[in-house]
Each structure stands twice: as structure tokens, then as C-alpha cells.
Amino acid sequence: MPLHGFIKSFMENYIPISYINDFIFCPRSIYNHQMYQNRDELVYQGEVQTKGKAAHINIDNKRYSDKKNVLQNFEVYSVKYQLFGKIDVFDIEKGLLTERKNNIKTIYDGFIFQLYAQYFGLAEMGYQVKEMALYDFSKNRMYPIQLPENNRIMKQKFENTLEEINEFSLLRKGFSANKFKCVKCIYNLLCDASLC
Ligand code: SF4
């Protein structure tokens, strides 16, 4: 098999880090994400998502910091957890990993697991993460997050969530939509399970 074909099939078994939070919000959103990811984003992105994306523009363009010891928008992957994605900002000298968010009202497990996934990816690549934090740029506030090795319960929850993602099937019976989530969901106009 040519190398690019091997890499493609190798990566096909990997879960994008961004799926973890989406899956916790609603497993069905992963399916919708795959269905609509190539469509014009304005068709299905709400204001919240657009603002959230704006938080990452400087990082996507690598304009957040010019320091050489700061990794921005850097691709990571974990063989152990079969995850891949990008980190926002990692200060190599301080060992500080930061994920930027807009207007944090609740620290959801999905936000924490996103940092865990980035942490494990960086660790496998040889970087030493000493601290992690969510950074709310709208309030200029940092929310420190414990490292997974210091919180065994959350680490176990993280691993259980990955297992659930790997085992999830749309055909499985028993899924019921939550109307309070559907109201807030960016896919509610497109999703056939929406209760809106
Ligand atoms: S519209 Fe409702 S059921 Fe569909 S993905 Fe969103 S939250 Fe889930």
C-alpha cells in the first residue's frame, strides 16, 4: 500500500479531539458534523459558534504569540488513545497548555477532556505539560484544570467516554433527543432527530 494510503487508513481509526465535547453534548451531533462539515459554515453555524471560532482566528493564523518556545495551532496525536487534533497554545518553557474559549459559563467535562486529549498527545510527542487551563478571552480569565494524573476519577471518565464514542452506532436503539439541547444545537434545522 502506498504510504499516503497507509496513513489515511491508519488515521481513519482515530477520533478527532473536537468530537469528544460534541459527543458528550449529543452523540448524534458527531453524525451531523460529518454530514455537514463541508457545507457553507454560515448555513449552520449559530452566533455562539461563530464567536467561538473568532477566538481561534489569531491562533489559526499563528498570530497569538511570536515566541519561539510557544506552540500554537499545533497538531498532536495520541497512539494510546487513538486521538488526533490541534492544541491552541502550549508554552514549552512554562509547560502550560491553554485552550481558549469564549464566555465560559460552565466548565463542561467535554472542555476538560479536550485538554486531556491534547495533554496525552503532547506527552506522547515528548513535551512535558506541567499545568493546563481554559482561558476565557471574553472575561480575560484563566480556569486551571488538574492534570489527568492528579484526578483519577476524571481520567477514568475520559477513558469511558472514548470507549462510548468508539462503540456508538446510529442504529443502536434507545437514543432519545433532549429538547433543551436541541434548542441550543447548531444542527437543529438539519437533524432528523431534533425536537425543535
Ligand atoms: S438537534 Fe438535537 S438530536 Fe440532533 S444533534 Fe442536536 S441535540 Fe442531538
Side-chain angles (χ1 to χ4, degrees):
M1 184 189 293
L3 183 61
H4 67 273
F6 170 76
I7 291 171
K8 189 166 179 286
S9 66
F10 174 74
M11 292 305 285
E12 268 167 5
N13 297 322
Y14 277 50
I15 302 167
I17 291 173
S18 59
Y19 277 19
I20 302 172
N21 192 39
D22 290 353
F23 182 84
I24 293 172
F25 177 74
C26 175
R28 192 99 192 177
S29 69
I30 300 289
Y31 168 77
N32 289 323
H33 183 88
Q34 284 170 329
M35 280 283 288
Y36 301 113
Q37 66 184 347
N38 293 327
R39 291 184 54 171
D40 183 352
E41 291 180 346
L42 290 175
V43 172
Y44 61 88
Q45 275 199 341
E47 192 191 358
V48 174
Q49 285 73 26
T50 307
K51 279 186 184 162
K53 197 162 186 184
H56 291 92
I57 285 177
N58 280 349
I59 291 168
D60 289 345
N61 295 335
K62 296 191 167 54
R63 278 189 278 128
Y64 184 67
S65 168
D66 291 330
K67 284 197 219 161
K68 286 213 171 72
N69 57 0
V70 174
L71 303 178
Q72 302 162 66
N73 200 29
F74 180 72
E75 287 185 23
V76 294
Y77 62 90
S78 163
V79 175
K80 179 175 177 191
Y81 290 108
Q82 302 215 304
L83 290 165
F84 73 95
K86 286 183 179 178
I87 60 155
D88 263 359
V89 184
F90 178 56
D91 186 319
I92 300 171
E93 218 166 79
K94 292 182 186 159
L96 174 62
L97 172 63
T98 313
E99 170 69 23
R100 287 160 62 91
K101 300 274 180 208
N102 178 39
N103 196 16
I104 296 174
K105 292 195 175 118
T106 307
I107 297 184
Y108 295 107
D109 285 357
F111 292 175
I112 296 171
F113 295 165
Q114 192 177 2
L115 274 171
Y116 279 17
Q118 297 171 1
Y119 166 91
F120 288 120
L122 282 168
E124 281 190 34
M125 294 166 89
Y127 293 101
Q128 197 188 357
V129 181
K130 297 178 195 155
E131 294 175 85
M132 303 193 302
L134 295 165
Y135 172 65
D136 184 337
F137 72 93
S138 64
K139 301 184 191 111
N140 190 22
R141 183 169 171 192
M142 289 281 245
Y143 296 88
I145 302 295
Q146 273 188 325
L147 299 180
E149 67 213 32
N150 295 333
N151 191 335
R152 282 169 53 196
I153 293 173
M154 281 303 277
K155 186 178 174 214
Q156 188 58 58
K157 252 178 128 176
F158 167 76
E159 291 175 349
N160 294 346
T161 303
L162 294 183
E163 219 172 287
E164 282 173 35
I165 295 175
N166 279 317
E167 288 170 4
F168 180 75
S169 161
L170 272 184
L171 303 174
R172 190 190 294 168
K173 289 186 182 150
F175 172 79
S176 51
N178 174 330
K179 70 175 178 186
F180 298 106
K181 289 189 175 183
C182 292
V183 168
K184 289 191 266 173
C185 180
I186 56 172
Y187 300 115
N188 66 23
L189 296 175
L190 306 158
C191 176
D192 56 3
S194 173
L195 294 179
C196 290

